[in-house]
């Protein structure tokens, strides 16, 4: 799917918030848990540390402070939100949705609220949905949260996955604006790559049994090399597709926010796209791959450090389980 903003309709991000748990898990500590080393993790991924949720913290506990911050920054009341989408693969529970739980806790009685699953691309998918509902006149003001508590579905004995991921959440308020805003979106999915990154059990295909637990099938499993090849390809192709659709070039981009999975994947995309590194937001070194939390966390950091200025062209591209990918191009504008 690819498209540009309908004529005369402008919506943008008017508030951003983020939250990560306090607990820091360093590479040094990980090397006491599995057969790995600080050197290997830094050389292959660029990750130095990640945050880990407390045992009692569920996804909604990470999203709530991020959403409150986004609402405060936008200067709007929770009750004025009529659509809440939570992008995640680690909801509090299968049902009810974390969106419904949060809408109740935060005081959004008029909001349609639900969860959306698109792996690490979840936040991009949710942004497109919220934007589309606003453009169709169905929603007046939307809130999109992206977050994951991947530590709860990690196999902490599997060094090929557990060193890569972390916990975190981000949230944005989407509102109508007078100028700028989203210019276009591209989304894609290739389900044939699903088995490259998945959690085998716990769904209707393989319900939970004593065997599935014993066989560690309730943990994320990944073919790292295949996902690496896919990631390097789609980060570039998706970005180029949306730039072309919007009649822009990579030189027009002021701020580039790629999914934070691995510094080597980001470096590859940056080299192929030919964008200068000072325009690229990178925080994977401190948070690891936070899945649906990745792009909004990076966006929140970029905003807090003054890197997002009115009129800037911002490019975001996510990719992940599905396999899925998605890009958004926008002219930064909060009014
Ligand atoms: O949102 C999308 C989510 N996923 C991703 O983006 C992941 C994409 N993939 C990657 O980032 C990389 O493939 C990894 C970081 C997962 C792995 O890097 P790699 O350069 O592709 O390494 P590899 O899988 O080819 O493994 C190289 C070696 C293997 O040993 P042998 O077979 O060469 O003896 C692994 O067993 O490194 C070994 N290895 C490790 N060694 C130390 C794998 N994991 C570790 C580890 N510590 N944690």
């Amino acid at each position: 799917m690819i498209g540009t903003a309908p004529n005369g309709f402008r919506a943008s991000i008017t508030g951003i918030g983020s939250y990560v748990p306090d607990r820091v898990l360093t590479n040094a500590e990980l090397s006491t848990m599995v057969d790995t080393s600080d050197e290997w993790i830094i050389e292959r991924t660029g990750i130095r540390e990640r945050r880990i949720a407390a045992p009692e913290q569920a996804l909604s506990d990470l999203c709530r402070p991020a959403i409150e911050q986004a609402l405060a920054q936008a200067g709007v009341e929770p009750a004025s939100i009529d659509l809440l989408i939570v992008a995640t693969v680690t909801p509090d529970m299968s049902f009810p949705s974390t969106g419904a739980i949060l809408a109740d806790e935060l005081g959004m009685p008029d909001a349609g609220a639900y969860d959306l699953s698109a792996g690490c691309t979840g936040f991009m998918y949710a942004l497109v949905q919220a934007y589309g509902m606003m453009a169709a006149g169905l929603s007046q003001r939307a809130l999109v949260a992206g977050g994951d508590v991947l530590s709860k579905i990690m196999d902490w004995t599997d060094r090929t996955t557990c060193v890569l991921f972390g916990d975190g959440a981000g949230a944005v308020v989407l509102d109508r604006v007078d100028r700028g805003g989203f210019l276009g979106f591209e989304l894609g999915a290739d389900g044939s790559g699903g088995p490259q990154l998945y959690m085998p059990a716990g769904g209707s295909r393989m319900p939970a049994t004593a065997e599935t637990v014993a066989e560690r099938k309730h943990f994320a499993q990944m073919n790292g090399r295949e996902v690496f090849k896919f990631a390097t390809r789609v980060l570039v192709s998706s970005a180029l597709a949306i730039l072309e659709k919007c009649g822009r070039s990579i030189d027009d981009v002021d701020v580039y926010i790629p999914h934070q999975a691995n510094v080597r994947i980001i470096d590859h995309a940056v080299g192929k796209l030919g964008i200068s590194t000072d325009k690229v937001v990178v925080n994977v070194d401190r948070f690891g791959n936070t899945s649906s939390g990745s792009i909004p966390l990076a966006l929140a950091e970029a905003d807090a450090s003054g890197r997002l200025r009115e009129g800037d062209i911002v490019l975001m591209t996510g990719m992940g389980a599905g396999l899925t990918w998605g890009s958004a191009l926008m002219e930064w504008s909060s009014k």
Side-chain angles (χ1 to χ4, degrees):
M1 186 193 100
I2 189 161
T4 54
N7 266 345
F9 178 76
R10 293 180 189 281
S12 188
I13 292 172
T14 57
I16 312 177
S18 66
Y19 173 83
V20 288
D22 295 334
R23 163 90 162 92
V24 176
L25 176 61
T26 62
N27 291 349
E29 192 179 345
L30 261 174
S31 16
T32 66
M33 298 159 60
V34 287
D35 181 15
T36 191
S37 65
D38 184 40
E39 296 72 38
W40 191 95
I41 301 172
I42 290 178
E43 190 195 314
R44 303 285 177 137
T45 72
I47 300 167
R48 293 174 183 276
E49 59 188 42
R50 68 288 292 144
R51 300 301 180 96
I52 303 294
E56 69 279 7
Q57 275 183 314
L59 178 73
S60 60
D61 303 314
L62 271 59
C63 288
R64 202 179 312 112
I67 293 174
E68 284 169 344
Q69 221 179 74
L71 289 167
Q73 195 189 91
V76 300
E77 292 300 320
S80 69
I81 300 294
D82 61 15
L83 174 66
L84 169 63
I85 310 178
V86 178
T88 191
V89 295
T90 49
D92 286 17
M93 55 197 82
S94 286
F95 60 90
S97 71
T98 305
I101 292 169
L102 282 166
D104 174 57
E105 288 181 359
L106 288 158
M108 301 175 177
D110 298 328
Y114 59 96
D115 296 351
L116 180 154
S117 166
C120 299
T121 322
F123 180 75
M124 302 308 299
Y125 268 69
L127 264 188
V128 179
Q129 271 198 7
Y131 177 89
M133 292 216 212
M134 290 176 69
L138 300 173
S139 165
Q140 302 308 311
R141 177 177 289 150
L143 207 145
V144 173
D148 269 302
V149 201
L150 291 178
S151 65
K152 309 258 181 168
I153 58 161
M154 274 302 114
D155 182 346
W156 290 101
T157 65
D158 176 6
R159 69 176 184 174
T160 68
T161 51
C162 75
V163 303
L164 303 171
F165 298 97
D167 300 335
V172 295
V173 174
L174 295 193
D175 227 325
R176 285 174 170 68
V177 288
D178 296 332
R179 55 179 188 275
F182 286 100
L183 303 172
F185 300 96
E186 195 251 353
L187 291 182
D190 174 8
S192 71
Q196 308 298 351
L197 176 52
Y198 78 138
M199 191 167 84
S204 55
R205 177 70 60 200
M206 197 186 288
T209 62
E211 285 74 33
T212 61
V213 173
E215 289 163 3
R216 312 185 79 75
K217 289 192 166 141
H218 295 271
F219 296 124
Q221 298 182 6
M222 181 176 69
N223 180 341
R225 282 181 205 182
E226 287 306 313
V227 177
F228 191 94
K229 279 191 244 164
F230 157 78
T232 47
R233 180 166 49 83
V234 296
L235 272 193
V236 177
S237 59
S238 180
L240 292 179
I242 193 58
L243 284 166
E244 188 189 355
K245 186 77 183 173
C246 295
R248 306 276 180 151
S249 85
I250 195 71
D251 297 332
D252 295 327
V253 175
D254 299 296
V255 182
Y256 173 44
I257 306 182
H259 173 45
Q260 307 287 310
N262 181 327
V263 161
R264 280 162 58 214
I265 295 174
I266 296 174
D267 285 349
H268 177 275
V270 166
K272 285 273 180 198
L273 289 169
I275 188 166
S276 78
T277 49
D278 59 322
K279 294 178 171 178
V280 187
V281 179
V282 179
N283 66 10
V284 66
D285 51 322
R286 282 167 293 123
F287 301 117
N289 180 348
T290 56
S291 185
S292 285
S294 156
I295 289 182
L297 270 180
L299 194 66
E301 270 204 358
D303 183 50
S305 58
R307 289 181 71 177
L308 300 171
R309 291 155 306 173
E310 292 287 311
D312 274 357
I313 299 296
V314 180
L315 169 67
M316 301 175 238
T317 302
M319 50 77 191
L323 299 169
T324 55
W325 62 91
S327 287
L329 191 69
M330 64 187 297
E331 183 182 325
W332 195 254
S333 160
S334 53
K335 295 178 185 70

